[in-house]
Amino acid sequence: HALKQEQGLRQDLEKFENGEDVSVGIQGQISVGLTSLKRTIDDYDSLAKREMILVKQEKALVNVCKLRDDYNELKSQFDRLKQREANKMAQNSRAELLERRHNTSTPEYPFQHGSSREQYALREHDFLNETDSKLDEFIAHGREVLHNLYDQNNTLKSAQRRMLDAANTLGLSRNVIQYIERRSTQDKWIFIGGVVLTLFSMWAIMDSIKPRGRPPKTGSKGAFLKDIRLLMYGFGDDLNPAADSVNVMEELVTDYITEMCHKASDVAKDRKVTVDDFKFILRNDSKKLARVEELLHMEQEIKKARQNFDVKDIDE
């Protein structure tokens, strides 16, 4: 079992080193594999120390030493690869930051993107395919772990029978054997109760989550439904978008406005909330901050135009 785990770790490390898969998922899989391998080596060491035959014990201890050396080598290799990947990400972030510093001009239309809807659809399709493949890998890994647990369960049952036979041979009392069996049964029921409690807690949490897209109450309309329909039509949707889609967008807009108001209130603390507080919140989002500056400038222009507009001159 340890050799099988070691072979799987070497394959994952080879993929990580060659750049075939440098995602967070493969790194977590390697970390879990290293932890499982260390636990297996510790179990093997404890079994080897309890071996009665000296020849077998010496051979097992030699194997344990070799496995520990391989584990240390794999762990050091993984740490080195993680450091290399972290350095690469830091260099890429630094290069992107320097590039953004040299290109600080605000576009005429901050929300305009160069990609078409077909490109976004292809990108979303590729992301879904990659997600499906990752889920299949996780399911396969879980099945492998489940088969290993079945094998370990059979091994433990066989070891229990041998221990009971050895205890009877050594003259252990029947009361002690019954106590051990009763304690094992109690542990099994405790485990089952914990599983049931965990499943009930997960069900309660999932049941408490409110779904999005709640329709407005009877006799009332959302505050942004009309504007959202026009915006969705302007961005390529149907002239009359689906009611569920409009409700979802309206809820997202309401949640976003509420969240921004809470953040601005936290920034303002005891004083009155101002426009500068919202600018401070959006300081890391250049596009939204540019849009705010554009709207404020348009508001000033409209005020000036209203001041210059004299109704009396028109009446005369």
Side-chain angles (χ1 to χ4, degrees):
H1 182 61
L3 292 175
K4 185 178 180 181
Q5 290 179 342
E6 183 179 352
Q7 184 179 2
L9 281 172
R10 291 188 184 277
Q11 292 177 358
D12 293 338
L13 285 172
E14 185 177 357
K15 291 181 182 179
F16 189 35
E17 185 174 7
N18 295 333
E20 297 179 6
D21 188 1
V22 294
S23 61
V24 180
I26 192 67
Q27 296 183 26
Q29 184 175 347
I30 294 173
S31 300
V32 172
L34 288 172
T35 305
S36 300
L37 180 59
K38 186 176 184 301
R39 189 181 299 111
T40 304
I41 294 172
D42 294 337
D43 295 339
Y44 189 19
D45 189 12
S46 62
L47 290 174
K49 291 180 180 179
R50 291 197 297 268
E51 178 63 40
M52 301 299 295
I53 303 175
L54 295 178
V55 178
K56 292 184 178 181
Q57 184 181 14
E58 292 176 357
K59 184 178 179 181
L61 291 176
V62 171
N63 293 333
V64 169
C65 293
K66 184 178 182 304
L67 288 173
R68 289 192 187 278
D69 294 336
D70 295 339
Y71 167 78
N72 293 328
E73 179 183 357
L74 293 173
K75 190 173 184 305
S76 60
Q77 182 181 0
F78 179 53
D79 293 337
R80 184 175 67 254
L81 293 176
K82 280 201 306 184
Q83 185 64 32
R84 185 193 69 180
E85 190 65 23
N87 295 333
K88 187 184 297 184
M89 291 179 64
Q91 292 177 1
N92 293 334
S93 300
R94 184 174 181 274
E96 182 180 357
L97 180 61
L98 293 176
E99 184 179 357
R100 289 177 62 186
R101 288 184 61 186
H102 291 294
N103 187 13
T104 57
S105 61
T106 303
E108 183 178 0
Y109 302 101
F111 294 95
Q112 183 177 1
H113 299 281
S115 302
S116 62
R117 296 182 65 184
E118 288 79 8
Q119 292 176 350
Y120 281 114
L122 291 174
R123 189 183 306 171
E124 184 176 0
H125 181 69
D126 295 337
F127 176 76
L128 291 176
N129 290 334
E130 184 179 358
T131 303
D132 290 337
S133 62
K134 292 296 181 183
L135 288 175
D136 292 337
E137 292 179 3
F138 289 148
I139 291 173
H141 185 67
R143 288 178 178 174
E144 183 180 358
V145 172
L146 184 60
H147 289 311
N148 293 332
L149 289 175
Y150 285 149
D151 295 337
Q152 292 180 6
N153 187 22
N154 295 329
T155 304
L156 290 174
K157 287 182 178 179
S158 177
Q160 183 183 11
R161 288 195 298 268
R162 293 181 181 179
M163 289 177 63
L164 292 175
D165 294 338
N168 288 326
T169 304
L170 294 174
L172 194 63
S173 64
R174 186 64 181 176
N175 294 330
V176 177
I177 296 175
Q178 291 178 355
Y179 174 76
I180 294 172
E181 293 177 350
R182 186 167 57 252
R183 183 60 181 271
S184 301
T185 306
Q186 292 176 358
D187 294 339
K188 182 176 68 175
W189 282 110
I190 291 172
F191 173 75
I192 294 174
V195 171
V196 172
L197 182 61
T198 303
L199 293 176
F200 178 77
S201 301
M202 293 176 63
W203 174 80
I205 293 172
M206 294 299 295
D207 186 66
S208 63
I209 298 176
K210 298 181 180 179
R212 285 195 176 273
R214 298 186 296 272
K217 296 181 179 179
T218 305
S220 64
K221 295 183 179 180
F224 307 104
L225 292 181
K226 182 178 179 181
D227 298 330
I228 288 174
R229 287 194 183 95
L230 297 176
L231 285 173
M232 292 175 68
Y233 176 65
F235 278 94
D237 207 329
D238 190 69
L239 180 60
N240 294 317
D244 294 337
S245 301
V246 176
N247 291 332
V248 170
M249 294 301 298
E250 199 268 343
E251 185 180 352
L252 290 174
V253 170
T254 305
D255 292 343
Y256 179 76
I257 293 175
T258 304
E259 183 180 358
M260 293 297 294
C261 291
H262 284 301
K263 290 182 179 180
S265 177
D266 294 337
V267 173
K269 294 183 179 179
D270 296 334
R271 59 181 175 80
K272 185 178 179 181
V273 178
T274 61
V275 180
D276 294 333
D277 297 330
F278 291 95
K279 290 183 180 180
F280 180 77
I281 297 171
L282 299 174
R283 65 188 184 281
N284 296 325
D285 195 336
S286 59
K287 294 182 179 180
K288 292 180 182 179
L289 184 60
R291 180 60 176 167
V292 171
E293 295 289 350
E294 182 182 0
L295 293 175
L296 291 174
H297 180 70
M298 291 174 60
E299 183 183 5
Q300 295 296 329
E301 293 293 333
I302 293 172
K303 287 182 179 180
K304 290 180 181 178
R306 288 178 177 175
Q307 291 176 359
N308 295 330
F309 183 75
D310 193 353
V311 181
K312 295 182 180 179
D313 294 339
I314 297 177
D315 296 335
E316 292 175 358

